[in-house]
Amino acid sequence: MVELKSFENGFEYLELKNDAASAKIALQGAHVFEYKYSDSQDVFWLSENSAFELGSAIRGGVPLCWPAFGLNNPDLPQHGFARTSLFELVSSKELGENATEVVLRLRDSKESLELWNHKFELEFKVRVSDTLTMELKTTNLDANEFKLTQALHSYFRVSEISDAVVKGLKSKPRFDALTNKTFIQKEDISFKEEFDSVFQEVDAEIILEDADARLSVKNEGSSSVVVWNPWLDKCSRMSAMKPTAYREFVCVESANAFEDFKILRPNETHILKATILKQLS
Ligand code: BG6
């Protein structure tokens, strides 16, 4: 079942429900801000201070960073403009009793061309089941090529950050954005301070474990992964987060960032896909 709903202020979102799972996706940013298994267990973290207001990005869930990750394109706002742009619903369908799929679309507009002078079509296909599949498809509709960096900026809920471990990035080149140094990651990742790094040459699935759950994230069309936790100081300075929120999530972002940028020639398409699967501990 797919229903169009809205909060009291008129902010619209889609609610998807089937026997295996449910999800909520805002039309602004095609932003998945909730995904729950049928036992009600939440996969994503969502800030209790998050504003659901046009023009401000939702804090939590899966913001789409597009057409630039971070400040990879210094002419654009941090993480691009898709997360604050209104998408339209293109299609929705039931795939049996356990899976529901929607496609949302954003096209260039007068406002987007002022920020980024390229014609494009961006489609986001989300399949909600006991597995969550997200596919972000970019098509260059322009006469000139453009450079794309992007991320599915997933905020995964954890029982407690000090119990969280991210596996699958050992032996990969790591750019540490806090020190501006690049080195080879030697160990699985656990957290005891601010962490903000981009991993390259990633070819295996990522496993996220905490005291309660084990998830895997399989990426396609991507060889970079961003791992981020702001810790207390940065969290206290950030918008729409309470200071201790850093204890409740870790971001593991399926990306095309830094060296993993894509150049799209006219009519070319690139698909960034992430599949999130609950695993038995
Ligand atoms: C992460 C970056 O991807 O996003 C961090 O690596 C950044 O440096 C974080 O702080 C959140 O960004 P924003 O724009 O949503 O506050």
Side-chain angles (χ1 to χ4, degrees):
M1 185 203 70
V2 180
E3 263 186 282
L4 178 65
K5 296 195 161 179
S6 57
F7 294 116
E8 272 177 14
N9 64 359
F11 187 96
E12 290 184 311
Y13 63 95
L14 302 168
E15 186 164 85
L16 286 70
K17 264 190 193 158
N18 54 53
D19 288 351
S22 65
K24 291 181 182 165
I25 307 173
L27 293 187
Q28 175 176 276
H31 194 135
V32 177
F33 62 92
E34 188 180 285
Y35 168 54
K36 280 180 199 271
Y37 301 119
S38 52
D39 62 4
S40 291
Q41 197 191 335
D42 260 307
V43 172
F44 297 120
W45 176 83
L46 176 66
S47 174
E48 59 207 61
N49 300 347
S50 194
F52 286 92
E53 269 167 19
L54 293 181
S56 38
I58 298 168
R59 180 67 75 196
V62 189
L64 299 183
C65 305
W66 190 98
F69 169 78
L71 291 171
N72 274 190
N73 179 342
D75 297 333
L76 287 176
Q78 154 116 327
H79 292 327
F81 54 82
R83 62 180 175 166
T84 49
S85 300
L86 263 190
F87 283 59
E88 57 174 333
L89 176 64
V90 177
S91 64
S92 65
K93 59 180 172 203
E94 304 299 331
L95 306 163
E97 300 196 332
N98 295 317
T100 308
E101 187 178 279
V102 292
V103 178
L104 294 107
R105 181 170 62 205
L106 179 69
R107 285 194 172 134
D108 54 271
S109 60
K110 191 169 159 281
E111 294 75 34
S112 78
L113 290 166
E114 271 164 24
L115 279 169
W116 192 61
N117 194 15
H118 298 287
K119 294 189 177 146
F120 66 84
E121 181 181 80
L122 182 64
E123 279 195 349
F124 192 44
K125 189 194 281 182
V126 184
R127 183 180 296 185
V128 174
S129 181
D130 54 358
T131 299
L132 179 71
T133 323
M134 298 180 283
E135 259 185 73
L136 188 60
K137 179 171 142 194
T138 305
T139 305
N140 182 351
L141 298 180
D142 216 343
N144 301 309
E145 65 179 32
F146 61 69
K147 181 177 176 178
L148 174 68
T149 57
Q150 58 181 347
L152 306 173
H153 189 309
S154 307
Y155 285 76
F156 290 101
R157 178 179 291 279
V158 294
S159 48
E160 162 62 50
I161 187 66
S162 51
D163 291 335
V165 182
V166 177
K167 297 182 174 172
L169 296 168
K170 222 166 19 180
S171 83
K172 302 300 174 198
R174 166 179 169 189
F175 168 70
D176 185 335
L178 303 173
T179 57
N180 282 326
K181 293 208 166 97
T182 301
F183 52 93
I184 299 294
Q185 176 68 23
K186 294 273 169 44
E187 292 151 354
D188 289 331
I189 300 163
S190 47
F191 301 87
K192 48 184 183 347
E193 58 195 346
E194 185 179 353
F195 196 103
D196 195 350
S197 287
V198 184
F199 295 83
Q200 297 290 348
E201 299 170 24
V202 180
D203 47 9
E205 59 182 20
I206 312 298
I207 306 286
L208 170 60
E209 286 177 359
D210 73 358
D212 299 337
R214 190 165 194 263
L215 286 175
S216 72
V217 183
K218 186 176 161 229
N219 297 325
E220 293 165 67
S222 144
S223 58
S224 50
V225 167
V226 183
V227 178
W228 175 61
N229 181 286
W231 220 254
L232 181 62
D233 280 357
K234 184 164 177 181
C235 200
S236 315
R237 298 192 304 270
M238 290 192 73
S239 61
M241 284 213 200
K242 62 178 184 186
T244 53
Y246 75 93
R247 296 175 62 175
E248 301 166 3
F249 72 85
V250 59
C251 288
V252 178
E253 308 170 32
S254 312
N256 295 115
F258 291 87
E259 297 97 290
D260 185 25
F261 65 84
K262 300 288 163 195
I263 300 287
L264 263 65
R265 291 192 298 262
N267 294 317
E268 262 190 343
T269 285
H270 174 70
I271 299 179
L272 167 63
K273 180 171 175 185
T275 305
I276 295 163
L277 183 66
K278 183 182 182 179
Q279 302 212 321
L280 297 176
S281 312

